[in-house]
Amino acid sequence: MPQRPARFAVLAALAGIFFAGPSLVRYYTDWLWFGEAGYQQVFLTMLRAQGALFALTFVTAVVWLTLNLRSALATVGDLQPVFTTREGIQVPLPGRQQLRTLASAAAVILSLLIALFASSQWETWLVWRNAGPFGQVDPILGRDASFYVFSLPFLQFVRGIGQGLVLLTGVAVGAIYFMSGSLTSRFGAMPFMTPGARRHLSFLVALFLLFLACGAWLSQAERLVQPSGVIYGPGYSDVNGRMPAALILVIVCIIGSALAVLQALTPRNWPIPAAAALYLITAVGGEGYSTLLQRFVVTPNEQTRESPFIQHNIDATRRAFGLDKVEAQELTGDALLTRADIERNVATTENVRLWDHQPLLDTFGQLQVIRTYYDFVSVDNDRYRIDGKLRQIMLSPRELDTTNLPSRTWINDRLTYTHGYGLTLGPVNQVTSEGLPVLYVGNLPLETSPDLPIDEPSLYFGEMLNDYVIVRTATREFHYPRSEGDVYSRYDGRGGLPIGSFWQKLMFALRFGAYEMLLSTELGDESRILFLRNIRERVQKLAPFLAFDRDPYLVVADGRLFWMYDAYTTSNRYPYSTPSGGLNYIRNSVKVVIDAYHGTTTFYMADAVDPIAAAYARIFPGMFVPLDEMPASLRAHVRYPEDIFAIQSSVYATYHMTEPAVFYNREDQWEVPIIDDTGETGAMQPYYTIMQLPGESEPEFIQMLPFTPRSRDNLAAWLAARSDGEHYGTLRAFQFPKQKVIFGPRQVVARISQDQTIAPQITLWNQQGSQVIWGTLMVIPIEESLIYVRPLYLRASGGRIPELTRVIVAYQNQIVMEETLDAALARIFGGTATPPAPSSSITRSPGAGGAPPTAPANAAVPAAAPAPLPGLAGQARMHYERAIEAQRSGDWAKYGEELRLLGEILAQMQQ
């Protein structure tokens, strides 16, 4: 018998190791990894917060449950009850002492579960402790927005834990009293309770009613972060009905709690039923009054009654999404473009994006992958100074995909093929004579431009690299293939953790389930293991409290490769703000930079005045570096991120209306254009471009998106987000007059599809077996007017490489299709076109074995303007040819319109 406790202890220890061992190994290796990344204090802060919440909740819950359960068990007699079966067999039931042991075990298990849940709320607790003011007070209760964002979630969490514990305890002790006979119930009669049970249960009811009072008080604040009627946030019936009713309910709950105490201390049976009746009458009555208020007071005069609250919603939503500082500008819509305007905005036309992401990715996949184990995951937009000019480029890193290795072994996957190599990079608007992209950087070994030197092309950290590798081993690391023989390298970076000792090998072998680490003779004292190499997983592990953009992008700076990753601070509890995509507050507060070779990860604070970011900076001191300390070479590539701009654009389509009456009637509602062509329908996506904004003297890198009026197709406005210099983060909206009809994207797409010159050519290509791929339709603002540009790609039958074949340009009622953008612009505005670049499109730096490069011919840059007469003659010929085509097809309306335009051109030629 004495051996039984020892045996039980051994079994318990083994079970603990079996179940807790993997978690302990993961925690230990995570601790090492955070130390290698330079953020061990961040890990310890999160761990301490989880541990503190767990311990506090566990101790509170286990003490509370144990005391209450033992108090109830005191009513159970000392004699052990016996259950007699129908056959006369007596089965002993647990006695009081055994029940006390079972109750203590149940209290511990329940407390563990509650504490585990509580520890998951560590972030809510930490931001509450480190909260700072927003400086913006809600217009109803007069509380700072920080109360709703930081304090309210924590108070609701505490109330929920407390109320749940009281309810759980009440059910448990009620069951004990019932089984012990201290509580009985007879049909049609009041329940019978012994004095002890009566007192105990009544005090629990009193405490439960106090928690209900807390919930009613907090429900007032919750109204400001909930939808109601025409807006998000409290409306007239909420402010004048439900919120006052909630205050009354608080008082009723407190009174009810006092009545429950009265029943606990006296033999009276009516106080608790009276408290329940008061609560139900108040709750139902408050909701009923609010409903009547809405139906008979608000609905007949809804616009008037709700106007002040609509204004609160407009103001709060614009603040929460950073739209309160949008610079709105009216455009006349009457400006006519000339060749001189095109030449003044040559920086805009030089950077029109003719290569779409998917066709370019397909082309890179065929021409630049080189080997099956390389892959291009995405294409990113950025800008660089090339030959002294700001040029928009598209780039894609060449990453390693070990799943496509011809021989999958542990040595190959983990020791040999460890990293990707280089990237492809080229201008957005240049093509070779074969319709392929011009490249400034590409090929194996890497060939680069003098403006873009790359000394270390290895990619040990990227978007695809999600498995661990071990470097500095006896196995050579594959660098890149070459016809004379593969080239190998050795990792000399600062990343990774030592894995030379047996203990280190054991820990990582357990974590990754790789026994080979313990047996392989390839690992030495200098060997290091690199894991969490996927940059998404890496930053989310380091900062789980931030939201991250979907599109990290690679940057070439100082001869090295870096990943730039945008991070957001968000909330769904900003008062009176309407949510979009599940959140109603967002700031691009953090920029993350990851060295693609070393793995060094730096968090730069881009918005120090954001209260949420400031709270995290207080929680994790030293984690964030001021943006001013970012190297200038990297700072030049900071761009306004895509996700936040898409959210802001969606919200601004409605919340550019700042007058309650206009907002209520949705008189000026906008929407993102929906384009329907080639059988696919979808909303236009924001896109980057370099252009000279109206009223500005220099070209800059922006992101933009057009809007159309709701249920109409003409253009209403376009929104631009600036990315350069002191203007970074500034939003500008350019609106066209409502009385002026400007062709919208959907209308232009329809006109292109119906054009008598373009449509037959498309049909002919399709009939010949080629696949026509329509590119993105882009709105290109120039001065106070705009043009539409759409590239067209052709993929040969059975081929995989799409070629840029034509460029379509639409301006007012003119549509032309030419081989280059330059030729299309010349056809509309006059001038001569520059020929495409030669087929040899990559320029080499001296270090790559070639002569200093010369800039390839630009297929999209307008040439110098000739005399205006030849340009007008070209336009006259174009309208004449279109008139003839319209006559042949019987389209007399178009025929008359073309003759009218021809007459106008001839009149200009006579001047």
Side-chain angles (χ1 to χ4, degrees):
M1 291 295 292
Q3 295 180 351
R4 291 182 65 184
R7 191 178 303 166
F8 178 77
V10 170
L11 290 175
L14 290 175
I17 293 173
F18 179 78
F19 289 107
S23 296
L24 293 175
V25 169
R26 179 167 289 274
Y27 270 112
Y28 173 69
T29 51
D30 277 349
W31 178 69
L32 294 176
W33 180 82
F34 271 88
E36 180 267 325
Y39 295 98
Q40 203 163 70
Q41 284 303 313
V42 173
F43 180 72
L44 293 176
T45 298
M46 292 188 289
L47 204 59
R48 280 196 299 264
Q50 294 174 46
L53 268 181
F54 179 89
L56 182 62
T57 306
F58 176 77
V59 170
T60 302
V62 78
V63 169
W64 168 262
L65 289 171
T66 301
L67 289 177
N68 279 275
L69 292 177
R70 291 200 171 194
S71 175
L73 287 170
T75 62
V76 179
D78 292 329
L79 297 177
Q80 186 176 29
V82 176
F83 175 74
T84 303
T85 67
R86 184 177 301 176
E87 292 79 11
I89 301 173
Q90 293 185 337
V91 179
L93 298 176
R96 183 169 65 180
Q97 188 59 41
Q98 291 172 307
L99 287 174
R100 285 166 64 94
T101 303
L102 290 174
S104 298
V108 169
I109 293 172
L110 289 172
S111 299
L112 279 172
L113 296 175
I114 295 170
L116 284 173
F117 166 74
S119 66
S120 68
Q121 305 300 306
W122 62 270
E123 186 181 342
T124 302
W125 181 46
L126 285 180
V127 295
W128 171 71
R129 290 180 56 196
N130 294 272
F134 274 70
Q136 299 153 5
V137 177
D138 84 82
I140 305 301
L141 299 177
R143 294 192 179 103
D144 188 88
S146 63
F147 174 81
Y148 302 91
V149 175
F150 300 127
S151 301
L152 187 57
F154 178 73
L155 293 176
Q156 291 284 36
F157 159 68
V158 173
R159 183 195 64 81
I161 292 287
Q163 189 169 306
L165 271 175
V166 172
L167 185 62
L168 184 65
T169 304
V171 172
V173 300
I176 293 173
Y177 284 131
F178 184 79
M179 289 188 297
S180 67
S182 299
L183 170 64
T184 60
S185 177
R186 290 176 295 177
F187 181 78
M190 291 292 293
F192 167 78
M193 290 181 284
T194 62
R198 176 196 192 87
R199 186 166 49 252
H200 192 178
L201 290 173
S202 296
F203 278 129
L204 287 176
V205 171
L207 190 56
F208 185 75
L209 284 168
L210 287 178
F211 277 113
L212 287 180
C214 293
W217 181 73
L218 292 175
S219 70
Q220 280 192 302
E222 287 285 352
R223 291 286 174 193
L224 278 87
V225 291
Q226 293 175 346
S228 66
V230 297
I231 59 169
Y232 199 88
Y236 184 92
S237 59
D238 297 305
V239 173
N240 296 281
R242 292 182 179 86
M243 296 176 76
L247 272 181
I248 297 173
L249 195 60
V250 171
I251 298 171
V252 166
C253 288
I254 294 173
I255 294 173
S257 179
L259 288 173
V261 172
L262 177 64
Q263 182 162 328
L265 302 176
T266 65
R268 297 180 179 89
N269 291 324
W270 59 266
I272 288 181
L278 277 174
Y279 180 86
L280 289 174
I281 291 171
T282 306
V284 174
E287 184 61 31
Y289 171 73
S290 302
T291 301
L292 293 173
L293 198 65
Q294 177 69 32
R295 177 168 297 181
F296 297 106
V297 176
V298 177
T299 302
N301 306 282
E302 190 172 51
Q303 181 176 332
T304 303
R305 296 290 187 183
E306 299 287 13
S307 285
F309 308 103
I310 292 175
Q311 189 64 62
H312 299 330
N313 173 251
I314 292 172
D315 295 341
T317 303
R318 288 171 64 89
R319 281 197 306 269
F321 287 96
L323 301 174
D324 53 329
K325 297 180 181 178
V326 172
E327 301 173 359
Q329 180 177 335
E330 293 284 345
L331 300 177
T332 63
D334 296 323
L336 296 176
L337 290 179
T338 65
R339 184 66 194 187
D341 296 323
I342 299 297
E343 291 176 348
R344 273 198 307 273
N345 291 269
V346 66
T348 299
T349 56
E350 279 184 343
N351 289 283
V352 173
R353 196 191 78 202
L354 299 182
W355 282 104
D356 271 7
H357 289 194
Q358 192 57 51
L360 189 60
L361 201 60
D362 293 343
T363 302
F364 287 165
Q366 294 300 312
L367 300 181
Q368 287 290 310
V369 162
I370 311 298
R371 293 290 188 271
T372 59
Y373 41 78
Y374 287 128
D375 198 4
F376 293 99
V377 181
S378 63
V379 175
D380 297 308
N381 286 270
D382 203 351
R383 70 284 197 197
Y384 288 82
R385 289 278 174 187
I386 307 294
D387 293 333
K389 298 173 68 175
L390 186 65
R391 300 300 304 271
Q392 183 179 351
I393 60 88
M394 299 179 79
L395 61 87
S396 185
R398 184 186 289 104
E399 299 204 54
L400 184 69
D401 183 6
T402 55
T403 60
N404 288 324
L405 285 174
S407 176
R408 297 292 307 279
T409 65
W410 186 79
I411 294 290
N412 279 345
D413 286 358
R414 309 302 181 191
L415 309 185
T416 304
Y417 293 90
T418 57
H419 59 276
Y421 182 86
L423 71 156
T424 56
L425 181 152
V428 297
N429 67 326
Q430 293 183 9
V431 295
T432 67
S433 55
E434 289 85 5
L436 301 177
V438 170
L439 297 179
Y440 294 148
V441 178
N443 288 346
L444 295 174
L446 203 63
E447 300 173 2
T448 66
S449 162
D451 294 299
L452 298 167
I454 299 176
D455 303 319
E456 181 50 75
S458 302
L459 291 167
Y460 281 87
F461 299 85
E463 293 184 82
M464 286 190 67
L465 304 170
N466 52 7
D467 294 326
Y468 74 90
V469 295
I470 303 174
V471 296
R472 299 182 189 174
T473 66
T475 302
R476 295 186 301 171
E477 292 181 52
F478 175 80
H479 198 36
Y480 62 85
R482 195 172 54 181
S483 57
E484 302 85 29
D486 293 341
V487 177
Y488 295 87
S489 66
R490 181 178 176 84
Y491 181 71
D492 292 323
R494 299 187 295 271
L497 288 164
I499 195 173
S501 70
F502 177 79
W503 171 254
Q504 293 164 338
K505 293 177 183 177
L506 177 63
M507 289 296 100
F508 288 110
L510 290 173
R511 170 161 184 159
F512 296 108
Y515 68 89
E516 294 92 345
M517 294 186 192
L518 297 173
L519 304 179
S520 176
T521 58
E522 300 295 308
L523 277 62
D525 294 338
E526 296 183 358
S527 297
R528 302 178 74 84
I529 183 169
L530 279 67
F531 61 101
L532 287 174
R533 299 190 299 143
N534 181 287
I535 57 174
R536 287 185 177 87
E537 295 177 0
R538 190 175 186 85
V539 296
Q540 288 169 355
K541 186 79 170 180
L542 290 171
F545 43 85
L546 296 176
F548 292 91
D549 196 86
R550 291 173 296 176
D551 186 30
Y553 57 101
L554 198 67
V555 171
V556 181
D558 303 322
R560 304 184 62 81
L561 302 178
F562 298 88
W563 290 98
M564 193 83 76
Y565 217 151
D566 286 285
Y568 308 109
T569 48
T570 64
S571 175
N572 60 359
R573 306 190 70 84
Y574 191 89
Y576 256 123
S577 175
T578 300
S580 177
L583 52 91
N584 68 356
Y585 176 93
I586 186 169
R587 291 291 186 273
N588 177 215
S589 300
V590 179
K591 303 283 186 180
V592 189
V593 175
I594 306 107
D595 190 306
Y597 185 70
H598 297 292
T600 307
T601 307
T602 309
F603 292 82
Y604 292 95
M605 182 66 75
D607 188 356
V609 300
D610 171 41
I612 299 180
Y616 287 127
R618 287 189 289 270
I619 295 169
F620 305 105
M623 180 177 186
F624 301 100
V625 178
L627 188 63
D628 293 339
E629 297 184 17
M630 180 184 287
S633 56
L634 288 173
R635 185 72 180 270
H637 297 282
V638 168
R639 70 183 193 186
Y640 200 76
E642 295 180 68
D643 285 355
I644 188 173
F645 184 68
I647 292 172
Q648 288 175 316
S649 300
S650 175
V651 175
Y652 192 70
T654 300
Y655 284 88
H656 70 278
M657 298 180 287
T658 56
E659 293 295 328
V662 177
F663 184 93
Y664 176 81
N665 294 304
R666 296 295 197 268
E667 295 176 11
D668 195 21
Q669 176 83 46
W670 296 343
E671 60 186 14
V672 177
I674 304 295
I675 297 181
D676 182 5
D677 61 350
T678 66
E680 297 181 1
T681 301
M684 287 190 69
Q685 299 298 314
Y687 52 90
Y688 291 101
T689 187
I690 291 178
M691 65 169 292
Q692 186 175 317
L693 289 172
E696 300 294 332
S697 58
E698 295 293 332
E700 55 186 293
F701 190 62
I702 68 162
Q703 191 177 180
M704 66 169 291
L705 184 67
F707 296 104
T708 58
R710 185 179 58 178
S711 302
R712 293 172 58 193
D713 293 331
N714 59 288
L715 199 65
W718 54 279
L719 183 67
R722 308 173 76 176
S723 294
D724 291 341
E726 62 182 9
H727 300 300
Y728 175 83
T730 302
L731 299 179
R732 293 185 66 180
F734 298 89
Q735 302 181 29
F736 294 100
K738 296 181 179 63
Q739 68 275 11
K740 183 74 175 179
V741 177
I742 307 294
F743 285 129
R746 191 182 182 94
Q747 293 170 319
V748 171
V749 167
R751 293 179 62 218
I752 291 174
S753 301
Q754 298 167 7
D755 186 84
Q756 296 301 311
T757 301
I758 298 174
Q761 183 64 62
I762 301 299
T763 302
L764 179 62
W765 278 324
N766 285 324
Q767 289 175 348
Q768 292 174 345
S770 299
Q771 180 187 3
V772 176
I773 303 172
W774 291 97
T776 299
L777 179 71
M778 286 169 290
V779 184
I780 308 297
I782 297 178
E783 300 291 341
E784 291 202 3
S785 186
L786 53 86
I787 61 174
Y788 285 93
V789 176
R790 189 171 205 185
L792 191 148
Y793 312 94
L794 205 60
R795 180 182 281 137
S797 177
R800 296 185 178 181
I801 301 177
E803 299 176 359
L804 179 57
T805 302
R806 295 290 187 273
V807 178
I808 301 171
V809 175
Y811 170 66
Q812 293 188 343
N813 58 353
Q814 301 180 61
I815 299 177
V816 299
M817 181 174 72
E818 293 292 340
E819 292 187 3
T820 66
L821 174 61
D822 191 16
L825 292 173
R827 184 171 167 185
I828 294 178
F829 300 105
T832 56
T834 303
S839 58
S840 180
S841 57
I842 297 182
T843 58
R844 297 191 176 195
S845 65
T854 57
N858 189 339
V861 179
L869 193 57
L872 292 172
Q875 294 182 51
R877 181 173 181 81
M878 176 189 69
H879 291 301
Y880 172 76
E881 291 174 350
R882 289 191 172 186
I884 297 300
E885 291 171 1
Q887 182 187 36
R888 290 172 179 169
S889 61
D891 187 351
W892 300 107
K894 184 176 179 62
Y895 176 79
E897 176 66 15
E898 292 298 334
L899 285 182
R900 183 186 66 79
L901 294 172
L902 175 60
E904 292 178 358
I905 297 296
L906 294 174
Q908 293 180 42
M909 296 176 68
Q910 291 176 351
Q911 294 177 358

